[in-house]
């Protein structure tokens, strides 16, 4: 007699809050989450931070001087640096997703490598902007 009995299929359930700390997300998954976070950051900061500062800086020479003095504060520079990181990360990850849409680098190893490249490039560019922003370059 052959063993034709159906084996029970594995059941995958959603993880709970207590399991979140021990769950190991792949690099591409972390990249995807940060891509969404950076997009939301840019979307929310555009009308709240970027456009008002731009409008004030082009209104008159006095308001430009006020914005320049405001932007000299180290805390404001950190906020700007976070916005720069958000833009650079979103841009680099967006290029990766465009390549994935063209079916380039879909296999698991290539996806892991491209996620690492996106993290490396976006963080390296952010470091260059940080050095320039804080006057080291």
């Amino acid at each position: 007699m052959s063993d034709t009995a159906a084996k029970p299929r594995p059941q995958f359930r959603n993880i709970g809050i207590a399991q979140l700390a021990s769950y190991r997300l792949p690099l591409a998954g972390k990249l995807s989450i940060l891509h969404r976070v950076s997009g939301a950051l840019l979307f929310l900061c555009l009308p709240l931070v970027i456009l008002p500062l731009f409008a004030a800086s082009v209104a008159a020479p006095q308001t430009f001087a006020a914005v320049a003095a405001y932007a000299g504060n180290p805390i404001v520079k950190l906020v700007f640096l976070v916005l720069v990181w958000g833009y650079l990360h979103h841009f680099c990850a967006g290029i990766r997703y465009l390549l994935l849409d063209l079916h380039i680098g879909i296999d698991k190893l290539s996806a892991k490598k491209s996620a690492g490249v996106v993290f490396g490039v976006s963080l390296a560019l952010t470091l260059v902007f940080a050095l320039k922003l804080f006057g080291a370059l």
Side-chain angles (χ1 to χ4, degrees):
M1 259 193 178
S2 67
D3 187 18
T4 59
K7 295 180 183 176
R9 296 183 70 190
Q11 293 183 359
F12 299 102
R13 301 184 189 276
N14 291 338
I15 62 174
I17 298 293
Q19 298 167 327
L20 280 177
S22 63
Y23 186 74
R24 292 198 47 200
L25 196 62
L27 194 60
K30 292 175 186 175
L31 180 82
S32 176
I33 290 172
L34 286 176
H35 181 72
R36 291 171 188 238
V37 167
S38 64
L41 175 77
L42 292 173
F43 178 77
L44 293 174
C45 286
L46 186 67
L48 298 175
V49 176
I50 299 170
L51 289 179
L53 284 177
F54 177 72
S57 70
V58 297
Q62 296 81 13
T63 58
F64 176 79
V67 169
Y70 176 73
N73 186 346
I75 295 173
V76 175
K77 286 183 179 184
L78 283 176
V79 171
F80 288 161
L81 188 61
V82 169
L83 289 174
V84 165
W85 167 83
Y87 174 74
L88 291 171
H89 179 81
H90 200 75
F91 180 78
C92 294
I95 291 173
R96 177 184 181 263
Y97 289 127
L98 286 174
L99 291 174
L100 289 175
D101 287 343
L102 295 173
H103 301 285
I104 299 172
I106 290 184
D107 60 296
K108 190 174 181 178
L109 184 61
S110 297
K112 184 178 179 181
K113 285 181 182 178
S114 65
V117 167
V118 167
F119 275 120
V121 168
S122 65
L123 289 175
L125 289 174
T126 303
L127 179 64
V128 169
F129 274 91
L131 292 174
K132 181 69 176 167
L133 185 64
F134 287 101
L137 288 179

